[in-house]
Amino acid sequence: MAYTTLTRALKNAIIDNAVIKAGIPRRKAKLRAARADWAERVRVEALGGVQVEPDIMQQIAVINAKIKLLPRGLLSGYAFVNKRECIYLNLAGQTLNAYFNGNYKGYENPHECVLKITLQEYTLTADNPLVDEFYAFDPEYKAIHDHEKTIRMNVEATLCQVRTVKRLIEEWPEAVELLPKEEAKAMDLPAIRRETLNELVGLPSETT
């Protein structure tokens, strides 16, 4: 097992584990959570603020309860108020969708789609603190992206120089932590102690 060939699948697993070990997914999750929190605060402001939003939600709940009393054939299947995964923003002249699950783009998967009652569109003027807060996300996003790219490129280059797991560990011993569990387990087989092996074989020979 120690001579396992470094297949493309195994290399990809090692590279992915290196990215995980470097904390990239954790940083992405933290940034996504910050963006989700930001989008939620934008949504609430668009509805009129934290004092107004609870009253709006209460009114919607009352209307929903009344709608459920209507014959099913009268219902359209669509929500009577706007419920979306994002709010379309004019952010001091820049247009974008602010996703409530914290995605940078709508196609970032797999992240659960979060639907919320929201205005369809809203404008944030340049003097709104939320604008500066949004642009503060960009440096961290770029830093995470660049760090991950560097890790993948360098680990890939290292893996291309060896053909087997055994050779990889000889060249980069610490990489054993990046191996898939089944491979790492095979590399970690306990060696027979020298004293035990000598006893089994009968070494050293008795002298007369």
Side-chain angles (χ1 to χ4, degrees):
M1 197 60 154
Y3 289 89
T4 299
T5 300
L6 278 171
T7 62
R8 170 45 55 189
L10 184 50
K11 287 181 179 180
N12 287 341
I14 292 172
I15 293 171
D16 288 343
N17 286 341
V19 169
I20 293 171
K21 182 70 175 176
I24 297 298
R26 183 173 63 254
R27 291 176 64 187
K28 285 183 177 180
K30 183 178 179 181
L31 179 58
R32 190 170 62 253
R35 286 199 303 253
D37 175 72
W38 179 85
E40 170 64 5
R41 285 183 283 122
V42 170
R43 183 190 73 88
V44 171
E45 178 179 304
L47 290 176
V50 293
Q51 293 80 18
V52 177
E53 193 246 2
D55 182 56
I56 291 176
M57 299 307 294
Q58 184 177 5
Q59 293 180 50
I60 291 173
V62 171
I63 295 172
N64 268 326
K66 291 182 178 181
I67 287 176
K68 289 180 180 179
L69 299 177
L70 297 174
R72 178 171 294 183
L74 291 178
L75 304 181
S76 68
Y78 296 96
F80 72 94
V81 294
N82 192 47
K83 192 172 187 180
R84 302 180 62 206
E85 63 180 358
C86 64
I87 181 172
Y88 181 74
L89 295 178
N90 178 338
L91 191 74
Q94 178 185 353
T95 58
L96 59 91
N97 287 324
Y99 288 87
F100 301 129
N101 65 358
N103 278 3
Y104 185 74
K105 300 287 186 181
Y107 53 77
E108 284 183 359
N109 289 315
H111 299 306
E112 181 182 357
C113 178
V114 176
L115 298 175
K116 293 190 175 185
I117 301 297
T118 181
L119 296 188
Q120 186 167 341
E121 57 185 52
Y122 186 62
T123 296
L124 290 172
T125 57
D127 59 346
N128 192 311
L130 287 168
V131 174
D132 290 335
E133 188 175 340
F134 172 80
Y135 285 114
F137 293 140
D138 287 347
E140 176 64 5
Y141 181 86
K142 185 178 185 303
I144 294 172
H145 178 270
D146 291 348
H147 191 188
E148 180 176 0
K149 183 178 179 180
T150 300
I151 291 171
R152 291 187 179 279
M153 288 178 59
N154 282 276
V155 175
E156 172 76 21
T158 299
L159 296 177
C160 286
Q161 297 176 22
V162 294
R163 296 181 59 187
T164 66
V165 172
K166 180 178 183 296
R167 184 61 179 164
L168 171 64
I169 302 306
E170 289 175 350
E171 294 292 325
W172 186 16
E174 295 80 5
V176 70
E177 292 187 42
L178 305 179
L179 293 173
K181 290 182 179 180
E182 61 273 14
E183 291 293 337
K185 184 177 181 181
M187 293 295 299
D188 216 15
L189 292 174
I192 298 178
R193 295 180 61 227
R194 187 183 65 182
E195 293 82 358
T196 303
L197 188 57
N198 285 344
E199 183 179 351
L200 287 172
V201 177
L203 294 174
S205 300
E206 293 184 6
T207 58
T208 58

